[in-house]
Coordinates of all heavy atoms in Angstrom, one line a residue:
N1421 N 0.8 -1.2 0.0 CA 0.0 0.0 0.0 C 0.9 1.2 0.0 O 1.9 1.3 0.7 CB -0.9 0.0 1.2 CG -1.9 -1.2 1.3 OD1 -2.9 -1.2 0.6 ND2 -1.5 -2.2 2.1
Q1422 N 0.5 2.2 -0.8 CA 1.2 3.5 -0.7 C 0.9 4.3 0.5 O 1.8 5.0 1.0 CB 0.8 4.4 -1.9 CG 1.3 3.8 -3.3 CD 1.0 4.8 -4.4 OE1 0.1 5.7 -4.3 NE2 1.8 4.7 -5.5
E1423 N -0.2 4.1 1.1 CA -0.6 4.7 2.4 C -1.0 3.7 3.4 O -1.8 2.8 3.1 CB -1.7 5.8 2.2 CG -1.3 7.0 1.4 CD -2.4 8.0 1.3 OE1 -3.4 7.9 2.1 OE2 -2.3 8.9 0.5
V1424 N -0.5 3.8 4.6 CA -0.8 2.9 5.6 C -2.0 3.5 6.5 O -2.1 4.7 6.5 CB 0.4 2.5 6.6 CG1 1.4 1.8 5.8 CG2 0.9 3.8 7.2
P1425 N -2.8 2.7 7.1 CA -3.8 3.2 8.0 C -3.3 3.8 9.2 O -2.2 3.4 9.7 CB -4.7 2.0 8.3 CG -3.8 0.9 8.2 CD -2.8 1.2 7.1
A1426 N -4.0 4.8 9.8 CA -3.6 5.3 11.1 C -3.6 4.3 12.2 O -2.8 4.2 13.1 CB -4.4 6.5 11.4
H1427 N -4.7 3.4 12.1 CA -4.9 2.4 13.1 C -5.1 1.1 12.4 O -5.8 1.0 11.5 CB -6.1 2.7 14.0 CG -6.0 4.0 14.7 ND1 -5.3 4.1 15.9 CD2 -6.4 5.3 14.4 CE1 -5.3 5.4 16.3 NE2 -6.0 6.1 15.4
L1428 N -4.5 0.0 13.0 CA -4.7 -1.3 12.5 C -5.0 -2.3 13.6 O -4.1 -3.0 14.1 CB -3.4 -1.8 11.7 CG -3.5 -3.1 11.0 CD1 -4.6 -3.1 9.9 CD2 -2.2 -3.5 10.4
P1429 N -6.2 -2.4 14.1 CA -6.6 -3.3 15.1 C -6.6 -4.7 14.5 O -7.1 -4.9 13.4 CB -8.0 -2.9 15.6 CG -8.5 -2.1 14.4 CD -7.4 -1.5 13.7
L1430 N -6.0 -5.7 15.2 CA -5.9 -7.1 14.7 C -6.4 -8.1 15.7 O -5.9 -8.1 16.8 CB -4.4 -7.4 14.3 CG -3.8 -6.6 13.2 CD1 -2.3 -6.9 13.1 CD2 -4.5 -6.8 11.9
G1431 N -7.4 -8.8 15.3 CA -8.0 -9.8 16.2 C -9.4 -9.4 16.6 O -9.8 -8.2 16.6
T1432 N -10.2 -10.4 17.1 CA -11.6 -10.1 17.5 C -11.7 -9.2 18.6 O -12.5 -8.2 18.6 CB -12.2 -11.5 17.8 OG1 -12.2 -12.3 16.7 CG2 -13.7 -11.2 18.2
F1433 N -10.9 -9.4 19.7 CA -11.0 -8.5 20.8 C -10.6 -7.1 20.5 O -11.3 -6.1 20.9 CB -10.1 -9.0 22.0 CG -10.0 -8.1 23.2 CD1 -11.1 -8.0 24.0 CD2 -8.9 -7.3 23.4 CE1 -11.1 -7.1 25.1 CE2 -8.9 -6.5 24.5 CZ -10.0 -6.4 25.4
A1434 N -9.6 -6.9 19.7 CA -9.2 -5.6 19.3 C -10.3 -4.9 18.5 O -10.6 -3.7 18.7 CB -7.9 -5.6 18.4
T1435 N -10.9 -5.6 17.6 CA -12.0 -5.0 16.8 C -13.2 -4.7 17.6 O -13.7 -3.6 17.6 CB -12.3 -6.0 15.6 OG1 -11.1 -6.2 14.8 CG2 -13.4 -5.4 14.7
E1436 N -13.7 -5.7 18.3 CA -15.0 -5.5 19.0 C -14.8 -4.7 20.2 O -15.6 -3.9 20.6 CB -15.5 -6.9 19.4 CG -15.9 -7.8 18.3 CD -16.9 -7.2 17.3 OE1 -17.8 -6.4 17.8 OE2 -16.8 -7.4 16.1
G1437 N -13.6 -4.8 20.9 CA -13.3 -4.0 22.1 C -13.3 -2.5 21.7 O -13.8 -1.7 22.5
S1438 N -12.6 -2.2 20.6 CA -12.5 -0.8 20.3 C -13.8 -0.2 19.8 O -14.2 0.9 20.1 CB -11.4 -0.6 19.1 OG -11.8 -1.4 18.0
K1439 N -14.6 -1.0 19.1 CA -15.9 -0.6 18.7 C -16.8 -0.3 19.9 O -17.5 0.7 20.0 CB -16.6 -1.6 17.8 CG -16.0 -1.7 16.4 CD -16.5 -2.8 15.6 CE -18.0 -2.7 15.3 NZ -18.4 -3.8 14.4
N1440 N -16.8 -1.2 20.9 CA -17.6 -1.0 22.1 C -17.1 0.2 22.9 O -18.0 1.0 23.4 CB -17.5 -2.2 23.0 CG -18.2 -3.4 22.4 OD1 -19.1 -3.3 21.6 ND2 -17.8 -4.6 22.8
E1441 N -15.8 0.4 23.0 CA -15.3 1.6 23.7 C -15.7 2.9 23.0 O -16.2 3.8 23.7 CB -13.8 1.5 23.7 CG -13.1 2.5 24.6 CD -13.2 2.2 26.1 OE1 -13.4 1.1 26.5 OE2 -13.0 3.2 26.9
L1442 N -15.6 2.9 21.7 CA -15.9 4.2 21.0 C -17.4 4.4 21.1 O -17.9 5.6 21.2 CB -15.5 4.1 19.5 CG -13.9 4.1 19.3 CD1 -13.6 3.7 17.9 CD2 -13.4 5.4 19.7
T1443 N -18.2 3.4 21.0 CA -19.7 3.5 21.1 C -20.1 4.1 22.4 O -20.9 5.0 22.5 CB -20.4 2.1 20.9 OG1 -20.1 1.7 19.6 CG2 -21.9 2.3 21.0
N1444 N -19.5 3.6 23.5 CA -19.8 4.1 24.9 C -19.3 5.5 25.1 O -20.0 6.3 25.7 CB -19.1 3.2 25.9 CG -19.8 1.8 26.0 OD1 -21.0 1.7 25.7 ND2 -19.0 0.8 26.4
I1445 N -18.2 5.9 24.5 CA -17.7 7.3 24.6 C -18.7 8.2 23.8 O -19.1 9.2 24.3 CB -16.3 7.4 24.0 CG1 -15.3 6.7 24.9 CG2 -16.0 8.9 23.8 CD1 -13.9 6.7 24.3
L1446 N -19.1 7.7 22.6 CA -20.1 8.5 21.8 C -21.4 8.7 22.6 O -22.0 9.8 22.4 CB -20.3 7.9 20.5 CG -21.1 8.7 19.5 CD1 -20.4 10.1 19.2 CD2 -21.2 7.9 18.1
K1447 N -21.8 7.7 23.3 CA -23.1 7.8 24.1 C -23.0 9.0 25.0 O -23.9 9.8 25.2 CB -23.4 6.5 24.8 CG -23.9 5.4 23.9 CD -24.2 4.2 24.8 CE -24.7 3.0 23.9 NZ -24.9 1.8 24.7

């Protein structure tokens, strides 16, 4: 890739955990 992502969560816990955390913050 010419550009890398700012964040690269790898694994189920990383993906679901970050989504839950961000959702709760947004609430």
Side-chain angles (χ1 to χ4, degrees):
N1421 299 280
Q1422 289 188 340
E1423 292 187 11
V1424 297
H1427 300 275
L1428 184 63
L1430 296 174
T1432 301
F1433 175 72
T1435 300
E1436 298 303 323
S1438 59
K1439 287 171 66 176
N1440 290 338
E1441 186 78 18
L1442 292 169
T1443 298
N1444 290 333
I1445 291 174
L1446 187 58
K1447 284 181 181 178

